[in-house]
Amino acid sequence: MTSTAHTPSRDGATPPVLKAVIPAAGLGTRFLPATKATPKEMLPVVDKPAIQYVVEEATRAGLRDVLMVTGRNKTALEDHFDRHWELEQALEAKGDQLRLARVRKSTSLANVHYVRQGEPKGLGHAVLCAADHVGDNPFAVLLGDDLIDARDRLLEQMIAVQQERGGSVIALMEVPQDQVHLYGCAAVERDGDGDVVRVTGLVEKPHPADAPSNLAVIGRYVLDPSIFDVLAKTPPGRGNEIQLTDALQERAASTEPGGGVHGVVFRGRRYDTGDRLDYLKAVVRLAVEHRELGSDFSVWLEEFVAGREDVSQGSPVA
């Protein structure tokens, strides 16, 4: 894939962020056999597939042009965001307006486009596949493994930082030192007050002793389009894949137009659906706050936990 060099706007202002890219080509091997025939992005989180939470987040930030980078066996993603006339007619005939509205919501959220990655060459390569669609404007990248609570407007904050300071912006979150090897980690310098920092370096999944900080890169990015030219020249890195982290490392050190990377340190509510245990935790956390199910589910959960404690203490369970 080739990319087009970034062209600044005529008046020198930072061009607006208009589009969102959602990489969704992974095989979901950690969830096998559930993901043998079902994309991991379609696994339900309470009553919606994970991918719908991500698209809803993009549209809340004003990004209604969404590109999904997919792979083989991902047609369920396209079906979910398409109309289902037979189902809609059946619900209309029953007068079930509530479920009809829920079914139609996913089709009207955004203008969703699709491109296939073709080869599993890593996140950097997946982002590079979006070059022709994105063009010369900065754009957002949202990973489906990280769900950000709708009450925490992380993406909106990141877009505002990018528009003010230019370059690229990544989301950072403090993690325990024994977990830094699971993430890309950032070396940073404070850039004024608040939670915005200047990123001076990035390391992909470092050994804890070699990590520059405990600030982990989580799955939200607002990228200058100059990243495409860098990704096109980035050799395979860790895991023999083209790493977005490596390209961002180059951008962080660059003083050329489009260079520079800032981080927003996120302290809000994040739901990790990246592996089985964290996925289950995410489902429970969102279920207890669900406006229809939360109250009853919370009561049951408390009773269930109390019953488990009784069993562990050898007490009879009523």
Side-chain angles (χ1 to χ4, degrees), residues 18-21 62-67 110-113 133:
L18 301 173
K19 300 179 180 180
V21 175
L63 310 182
R64 297 197 72 255
D65 187 320
V66 176
L67 177 70
N111 298 315
V112 185
H113 311 268
H133 183 84

Side-chain angles (χ1 to χ4, degrees), residues 162-178:
Q162 197 281 332
Q163 293 289 282
E164 177 186 349
R165 309 191 186 198
S168 296
V169 180
I170 62 177
L172 301 171
M173 194 168 191
E174 293 181 348
V175 299
Q177 197 67 27
D178 62 357

Side-chain angles (χ1 to χ4, degrees), residues 148 152-155 157-159 161 165 168-175 185-200 202 213-221 261-270:
I148 303 299
D152 297 318
R153 300 303 179 100
L154 171 62
L155 187 57
Q157 183 183 2
M158 294 175 66
I159 290 173
V161 171
R165 309 191 186 198
S168 296
V169 180
I170 62 177
L172 301 171
M173 194 168 191
E174 293 181 348
V175 299
C185 289
V188 303
E189 294 179 352
R190 291 293 167 186
D191 194 4
D193 297 329
D195 291 327
V196 179
V197 296
R198 188 170 71 85
V199 177
T200 59
L202 291 158
S213 73
N214 70 332
L215 288 173
V217 182
I218 59 174
R220 296 295 181 272
Y221 310 81
V261 177
H262 284 85
V264 173
V265 181
F266 181 58
R267 307 185 192 279
R269 289 153 286 203
R270 168 184 175 246

Side-chain angles (χ1 to χ4, degrees), residues 8 62 67 75 93 96 106 137 155 181 205 214 245 290 300-301 316:
L67 177 70
T75 54
D96 193 340
S106 63
N137 280 39
L155 187 57
H181 69 284
K205 297 181 179 179
N214 70 332
T245 304
H290 194 282
W300 174 85
L301 186 61

Side-chain angles (χ1 to χ4, degrees), residues 36-242:
K36 179 181 178 182
T38 301
K40 68 174 183 177
E41 297 83 7
M42 289 300 297
L43 294 178
V45 180
V46 189
D47 55 359
K48 292 185 292 190
I51 192 69
Q52 184 167 331
Y53 287 88
V54 180
V55 175
E56 288 174 354
E57 180 186 350
T59 59
R60 280 195 303 271
L63 310 182
R64 297 197 72 255
D65 187 320
V66 176
L67 177 70
M68 291 191 190
V69 183
T70 68
R72 293 177 60 84
N73 301 321
K74 298 283 186 170
T75 54
L77 294 172
E78 299 182 33
D79 291 341
H80 181 71
F81 292 98
D82 196 4
R83 297 292 297 270
H84 192 322
W85 295 103
E86 297 86 354
L87 177 58
E88 292 180 26
Q89 289 172 357
L91 291 171
E92 274 190 306
K94 292 180 180 179
D96 193 340
Q97 296 300 316
L98 178 61
R99 289 184 174 84
L100 179 61
R102 289 172 177 170
V103 167
R104 285 179 171 169
K105 181 178 180 180
S106 63
T107 67
S108 59
L109 278 173
N111 298 315
V112 185
H113 311 268
Y114 305 89
V115 64
R116 284 200 173 188
Q117 185 175 4
E119 298 179 72
K121 292 184 177 180
L123 176 59
H125 181 259
V127 171
L128 185 57
C129 290
D132 289 340
H133 183 84
V134 167
D136 289 338
N137 280 39
F139 62 103
V141 175
L142 300 86
L143 305 190
D145 287 349
D146 287 332
L147 306 186
I148 303 299
D149 194 288
R151 295 165 292 185
D152 297 318
R153 300 303 179 100
L154 171 62
L155 187 57
E156 289 91 330
Q157 183 183 2
M158 294 175 66
I159 290 173
V161 171
Q162 197 281 332
Q163 293 289 282
E164 177 186 349
R165 309 191 186 198
S168 296
V169 180
I170 62 177
L172 301 171
M173 194 168 191
E174 293 181 348
V175 299
Q177 197 67 27
D178 62 357
Q179 293 183 18
V180 295
H181 69 284
L182 301 173
Y183 299 89
C185 289
V188 303
E189 294 179 352
R190 291 293 167 186
D191 194 4
D193 297 329
D195 291 327
V196 179
V197 296
R198 188 170 71 85
V199 177
T200 59
L202 291 158
V203 182
E204 179 66 20
K205 297 181 179 179
H207 186 280
D210 300 325
S213 73
N214 70 332
L215 288 173
V217 182
I218 59 174
R220 296 295 181 272
Y221 310 81
V222 180
L223 303 176
D224 185 88
S226 62
I227 197 75
F228 293 129
D229 292 322
V230 179
L231 285 169
K233 303 171 186 176
T234 299
R238 189 179 180 91
N240 200 33
E241 296 179 338
I242 297 174

Side-chain angles (χ1 to χ4, degrees), residues 306-318:
R308 294 278 295 177
E309 290 175 350
D310 289 341
V311 169
S312 66
Q313 296 169 6
S315 302
V317 179

